[in-house]
Amino acid sequence: METANKPAGSGQSADFDITGMTCAACSARIEKVLGRMPGISSVNVNLAMETAHVEYAPGDVTPDAIMEKVSSIGYKAELKQERKENGKREELIAHKRNKWILSGLLSLPLLWAMAGHFSFTSGLPVPELFMNPWFQLALATPVQFLIGWQFYTSAYKALKNGSANMDVLVVLGTSAAYFYSLYLSFESLGMSGMDHTVETYYETSALLITLILVGKWFEALAKGRSSDAIRSLMGLQAKTALVERDGQEITVPVEEVIPGDLVLVKPGTKIPVDGEVIEGLSAVDESMLTGESIPVEKKPGDAVIGATLNKNGVLRVKARKVGRDTALAQIIRVVEEAQGSKAPIQRIADVISGIFVPIVVGIALVTFAIWFIWGAPGQFAEALEKAIAVLVIACPCALGLATPTSIMAGSGRAAEFGILFKGGEHLEAAQAIKTVVLDKTGTVTLGKPVLTDIVTSTGITAHGKETAENRVLAVAAAAEKLSEHPLAEAIVAGAADRGLVLPQAGQFRNVPGRGIIAAVDGQQVLVGTRRMMDEQGLDIAPWEAVMTRLEREGKTAMLVAAEGAILGVVAVADTIKETSRAAVERLQAMGIEIVMITGDNRITAEAIAAQAGIRKVLAEVPPEGKAAEIRRLQSGGSKVAMVGDGINDAPALATADTGMAIGTGTDVAMEAADVTLMRGDLQSIPDAILMSRKTMKNIKQNLFWALAYNIIGIPIAALGFLAPWLAGAAMAFSSVSVVLNALRLQRVKL
């Protein structure tokens, strides 16, 4: 992802890759330090993704200053660059693997020697060399100070900056075991020579480091899997484009296509950019974007989306959006931002991790003192062993990974089904939704109404072969041609189907929630609702019966007036989407109340609602009134989701607790929403809520187990029932188990 310096209120924001973090205390420390810098308004550090999102005032602070500050506290920050191949992560995983393998090979003889001390392994042959303290020292030293040097540097930097992280616990535990063993080794010289075998604890320090490194390797593997959604989305992109330049067709990398280029798309190839068809006819598979398996016919003038598949014809496409501006790039960006964001529930882990390490060090010191004084009086080695076990098992890795890994996996899985959460807070909020408000046109219905009826007045004057119906339709279509409303498009399409030549129109004015006014052939023409005609002083009584009949049939009827008189009625019908009723039934089964909201009249609205199985209807609501209706529903204590697709839905989407935009709608609606439903299918709504519920359940499971490991493990270690190497294994397993539990979200069926 390219460096993101984009408007964020009055400032800008930047995204950084952070290296050197080992636990939640590290991410909390970076947030705290950066948050104190002048000009920085918001900091979000994600441990699982190893990223930071910073919002700042450009005049007060720069990205370079932010990176320097991160460096000064012992970590490294780099501005995120355009996402390339995943080689860097694979390189990191290979490095972690090689480190633990080398550490394991050096630790294996120490483990063998340790096994010889147990009564139940007394029959195991142990080479005498393995029992020699100097041989053990030679093996343990490179593990402690070469392979394990990363823990020392990280612990030093943390302590230098007044904080304590996981590495402080690791260094305290392993160093105590190593240096006490070193002391015992030198003490053995005064006994009976260098070859005297004494009971040292080199294996404790070496095995702890090995096990921690194994845990880190597993974490890296699992976190790599949690980014599968991003990689699969990126894999949809075309790699090259066939571009016409200087009269020649040349193949160029897709990154080199510029807006305005003419791109030739052959059958069976992916469309490389977002653009407009200039020439050709073909069917395009847009399932990756909309979820619809049926290809969409494309002709000159139609828009096409990058990464969709051209099926059977040759298309010449004029590039409109390239690179980061394409629909797919924006989807990837939304998913990345969601995966890198922090859900409110994470503050529990942040508060705990901020005070956790000092408390654990205190518990370890108390444990040592109790054992040395009372538990095993004077037995320094035994007391030290118990304290080391406490230090090691309490490492807060799992606590720091509990929330972000679930957010990554949950939002990534949702994206695979065309559900884009803009952030972790929205993923968390969706699970609390109790009321879903659905816009009618384009949301419950297909949004592609067709002309069905024309009813005229007997006083219409028609000329030549022109009928009275055609005269009314021509006047209405001429006025509506200047509108982008789906109902207007249906009237204009109906006129085109009849082969009507439309008169010139101008002075167009949209009256929100009422209709339109335009000048047609010098006459003022009105097309709209009863309320509009009534406000203009026109008599609607003669038309009431016609309007009511059409509306009861589920049609939207509009009055057409000119020269101060109503000429007739045009009616259009919009059918509900095939999945609308099933989606409504699913939501109701989940205990969610469904409300349909529309500016259409009540009779038509209730007819459509009945077809979809919706019991509650808010009809004749003007665009500016939709947000007020949302607030009224919220005032009853219900968490409300608004689902819409039009510009007039944007205020309501922003007002709702969770705004869901149908992805087949307008950019404005998608920008105002918290969740984008790319498929345009209402089944995505229960899917989104279900994904939110499962993700939150997963997070709570992770937090429970992360805390349970410590609540249960620390007392067990303090009481002496856990050897340090077993404590290290349990600590490593706790982190891995939390990540693996989060990855279960990638198998959720929607």
Side-chain angles (χ1 to χ4, degrees), residues 485-506:
H485 195 283
L487 299 180
E489 293 176 2
I491 294 171
V492 174
D497 290 341
R498 295 191 177 206
L500 301 183
V501 178
L502 303 183
Q504 286 295 112

Side-chain angles (χ1 to χ4, degrees), residues 49 52 89 92 142 160 173 180 182 200 283 292 390 409 546 606 638 647 661 665 681:
M49 291 190 70
R89 177 170 289 279
L92 176 65
K160 178 184 174 184
Y180 181 58
L182 185 63
T200 59
E292 296 292 339
V390 169
V546 172
E606 288 181 347
S638 181
I647 292 174
D681 180 350

Side-chain angles (χ1 to χ4, degrees), residues 522-667:
Q523 305 174 43
Q524 186 185 62
V525 173
L526 295 80
V527 184
T529 63
R530 296 176 178 83
R531 186 180 301 181
M532 182 181 188
M533 300 302 167
D534 192 50
E535 289 171 352
Q536 295 293 324
L538 300 177
D539 183 16
I540 61 172
W543 300 95
E544 189 62 47
V546 172
M547 295 282 285
T548 302
R549 174 179 62 80
L550 293 170
E551 288 162 355
R552 282 177 178 163
E553 293 172 2
K555 299 170 183 176
T556 300
M558 292 163 280
L559 292 158
V560 182
E563 294 182 315
I566 296 177
L567 304 179
V569 177
V570 292
V572 298
D574 187 9
T575 57
I576 69 168
K577 295 176 181 176
E578 289 182 10
T579 57
S580 290
R581 189 175 186 91
V584 167
E585 289 173 353
R586 277 184 68 195
L587 287 166
Q588 290 169 341
M590 293 167 71
I592 295 170
E593 181 185 28
I594 312 299
V595 179
M596 191 179 81
I597 192 167
T598 178
D600 214 338
N601 68 82
R602 177 160 297 279
I603 297 173
T604 303
E606 288 181 347
I608 294 293
Q611 294 176 39
I614 300 171
R615 304 184 189 98
K616 187 172 182 179
V617 178
L618 300 174
E620 300 176 21
V621 180
E624 65 275 12
K626 290 184 178 181
E629 291 291 345
I630 295 294
R631 284 191 289 270
R632 186 179 63 78
L633 291 168
Q634 290 170 323
S635 66
S638 181
K639 294 293 183 183
V640 179
M642 170 68 193
V643 186
D645 71 329
I647 292 174
N648 60 354
D649 296 323
L653 289 167
T655 302
D657 296 287
T658 301
M660 296 185 177
I662 296 294
T664 50
T666 65
D667 290 342

